[in-house]
Amino acid sequence: MLSSYFGAGSIVTQDKSPSFADAVSQSVLLLVESGKAKLSYVDEVSESLKALGPYFVIAPGLALAHAKPSNSVSAPGMALLRLAEPVISGSANDPVSLIFSMCSPNVSEHIEMLGDFGQLMSTDEVMNNLLNASAVSVIKDILFKKAL
Amino acid sequence: MLIYAVCGAGIGTSVLLKSNAERALSMLGIEAEVRAVSIEEARGADKMAQVVLATPEILDQLVGIPAEVIAINNIFDLGELGEKLKATLS
């Protein structure tokens, strides 16, 4: 179940963010605040973004921020920051308004989580519905009320 | 046939890419093994894949790899994945 990976308070909506890098850090911080990772994971993701560029902007309007499994991660988890005013990341998929983040303590525990996520997001309309959803309750309905 | 799905860490984007590539391949009726790997693993692989899937931003990191490299813009678009895989594999 995808819902089990999103900790309490891990889905947040806000008007805007100063930059894509800030939005990414804020989304990763939601993983920290919901008990899935330590603060050092925020830096690890920022370093990855600096080194490799916005490669984790994987679909129009959507990023999946993450770094390698490390001691900074305590459990597989996901979080989402949704911006009403999208930010520019430098990717072909700009502008970005859905900044998901994920973490995993190893290379296997999150496979099911991402499988569920990928399947959901590949379903017609889910992506558009999410891009248009402004309330956390609506976002939760789309993500967790899975008709799969 | 072996296909690599590559991302910076080998655990996020690549895993999503792998699961959706498998779905696209099965719709096309093509049998292949898809592995999720990091950039380092793709570069240093003993057994090189025939095809490498990645997002456009990391193509620079994959220059020189002896495989057909395909850039996928929208990982969730099974249509894009299917068309690009079909064009490369047929």
Side-chain angles (χ1 to χ4, degrees):
Chain A
M1 287 288 285
L2 199 53
S3 58
S4 63
Y5 295 102
F6 283 84
S10 63
I11 298 175
V12 166
T13 62
Q14 70 184 39
D15 286 346
K16 53 187 175 181
S17 182
S19 70
F20 179 66
D22 282 297
V24 165
S25 291
Q26 202 187 333
S27 179
V28 179
L29 202 54
L30 296 173
L31 292 172
V32 177
E33 287 164 355
S34 56
K36 307 288 188 185
K38 292 182 204 156
L39 201 52
S40 46
Y41 190 64
V42 178
D43 294 332
E44 289 166 23
V45 176
S46 295
E47 287 304 316
S48 170
L49 176 60
K50 265 185 226 157
L52 298 170
Y55 82 91
F56 49 57
V57 183
I58 54 176
L62 183 146
L64 180 65
H66 63 280
K68 291 176 188 174
S70 77
N71 293 335
S72 306
V73 180
S74 46
M78 291 191 77
L80 169 62
L81 173 69
R82 192 252 183 208
L83 298 173
E85 195 177 296
V87 282
I88 300 300
S89 72
S91 152
N93 286 319
D94 274 341
V96 181
S97 51
L98 299 169
I99 299 109
F100 283 90
S101 55
M102 62 147 283
C103 61
S104 180
N106 54 49
V107 295
S108 59
E109 278 190 49
H110 62 294
I111 303 287
E112 184 187 278
M113 169 176 90
L114 286 184
D116 288 353
F117 182 65
Q119 195 171 351
L120 177 74
M121 299 304 289
S122 306
T123 312
D124 286 347
E125 295 305 312
V126 165
M127 188 75 182
N128 279 337
N129 291 346
L130 267 186
L131 287 168
N132 292 324
S134 52
V136 171
S137 59
V138 177
I139 292 172
K140 282 185 176 167
D141 276 351
I142 298 167
L143 288 177
F144 304 150
K145 198 180 67 184
K146 66 174 188 178
L148 298 173
Chain B
M1 175 180 338
L2 183 60
I3 296 175
Y4 284 163
V6 182
C7 83
I11 67 143
T13 313
S14 56
V15 174
L16 271 178
L17 199 46
K18 168 187 152 75
S19 77
N20 276 5
E22 283 171 345
R23 228 168 292 152
L25 286 164
S26 102
M27 287 198 272
L28 292 171
I30 299 173
E31 275 194 30
E33 183 194 348
V34 188
R35 278 188 212 161
V37 299
S38 67
I39 292 170
E40 289 80 19
E41 285 167 329
R43 281 203 198 125
D46 291 334
K47 189 186 175 199
M48 187 31 80
Q50 278 173 263
V51 176
V52 169
L53 302 171
T55 54
E57 286 75 19
I58 58 171
L59 293 186
D60 286 355
Q61 312 269 340
L62 299 172
V63 171
I65 283 186
E68 184 110 25
V69 179
I70 308 177
I72 301 297
N73 293 306
N74 182 350
I75 284 191
F76 301 122
D77 186 348
L78 295 179
E80 179 189 349
L81 269 164
E83 273 169 34
K84 289 185 174 173
L85 282 166
K86 198 172 160 190
T88 307
L89 299 178
S90 58

